[in-house]
Amino acid sequence: MTQATAEDFFRPNIAELPLDYLREWFGAAYPAGGVNQLIWAYLLPRTLEVIAMGEEPDVNGIELSLSRFDTGNPGHWSAAQWSVLDRFRGQFLNTAPSRHHALDETLCMFRRGGWQLDDLLAQVLAMPDEDIVGRLWQDWCDGFGAYGYVSTTNFWQTADAARVRDFYESDALRNRLESIALSDSAVADIAAKASDLVSVIERAA
């Protein structure tokens, strides 16, 4: 980072740390093994706040926002700290479709931050009908309808990219969406969007 930013970095209260400062920190070099836990714990509340506002602390993409430390490992935190972090993960992953980031990007962010991929994908399957349909339709179909495509970020690590792709094309996800599309109790718009998503998955598979 610039010398001026480095010299002023710890002057503001962490809650008031300028976004430009945080982005310079994310753009600066750091050890290949990750950053010191004390520094990460200091910056993490402000980082989570920025993410929650729909901003990207790392200008390369939200996917890298939690990757400098094994944030998703409960062994690194006290019970109270982990409760806050995992609650943030649960709430942010379930955010409404009006959010600024694609569901796949958000999944990638938490996975690269150390959360278990199986747990993240299970949370997607467990989302309420309106949320899972709304978020996937926004990411895969908005503007294209049933002619959309399964969109994934390039930031997935190789092994995870294959597993995530398999999940998006899986019988489990397709069956979940089919049940919504055919449900007598589903809102018409949600049922129609679920049907679009089933078509996208079938074509991708």
Side-chain angles (χ1 to χ4, degrees):
M1 62 175 63
T2 64
Q3 183 177 349
T5 302
E7 291 175 350
D8 195 52
F9 194 83
F10 290 106
R11 180 191 57 78
N13 182 286
I14 185 59
E16 299 169 355
L17 184 71
L19 179 55
D20 288 347
Y21 282 23
L22 189 62
R23 284 179 171 161
E24 275 201 56
W25 184 85
F26 270 95
Y30 70 101
V35 301
N36 179 284
Q37 182 175 2
L38 291 176
I39 294 175
W40 186 241
Y42 173 75
L43 292 174
L44 191 52
R46 180 66 173 134
T47 300
L48 297 181
E49 181 181 40
V50 167
I51 293 169
M53 291 188 302
E55 300 286 352
E56 297 180 359
D58 190 315
V59 296
N60 293 303
I62 192 176
E63 298 93 323
L64 303 179
S65 299
L66 300 177
S67 63
R68 294 197 174 189
F69 186 81
D70 193 20
T71 314
N73 182 346
H76 292 316
W77 312 103
S78 69
Q81 289 170 328
W82 177 246
S83 175
V84 171
L85 287 171
D86 204 41
R87 191 164 67 249
F88 176 87
R89 183 269 310 168
Q91 292 178 354
F92 192 81
L93 194 54
N94 271 338
T95 0
S98 59
R99 269 314 201 184
H100 304 269
H101 304 110
L103 177 60
D104 183 71
E105 295 171 350
T106 305
L107 285 169
C108 184
M109 176 183 72
F110 285 117
R111 175 56 181 152
R112 294 199 62 138
W115 274 266
Q116 294 299 307
L117 184 56
D118 287 343
D119 294 339
L120 296 171
L121 298 181
Q123 184 180 344
V124 173
L125 272 182
M127 284 180 174
D129 292 353
E130 186 172 349
D131 291 344
I132 189 172
V133 170
R135 298 206 68 188
L136 289 176
W137 194 90
Q138 176 180 267
D139 298 343
W140 297 355
C141 301
D142 195 12
F144 300 97
Y147 298 98
Y149 65 100
V150 175
S151 174
T152 58
T153 176
N154 292 324
F155 284 110
W156 284 109
Q157 294 176 316
T158 304
D160 288 340
R163 289 177 61 197
V164 169
R165 189 79 190 191
D166 287 345
F167 170 75
Y168 289 148
E169 299 175 7
S170 68
D171 290 342
L173 182 58
R174 186 175 65 248
N175 290 342
R176 172 78 200 283
L177 295 169
E178 279 183 345
S179 68
I180 298 170
L182 298 174
S183 172
D184 292 335
S185 60
V187 176
D189 178 61
I190 297 299
K193 288 179 176 179
S195 181
D196 287 346
L197 289 167
V198 171
S199 297
V200 170
I201 293 172
E202 289 177 343
R203 195 163 54 254

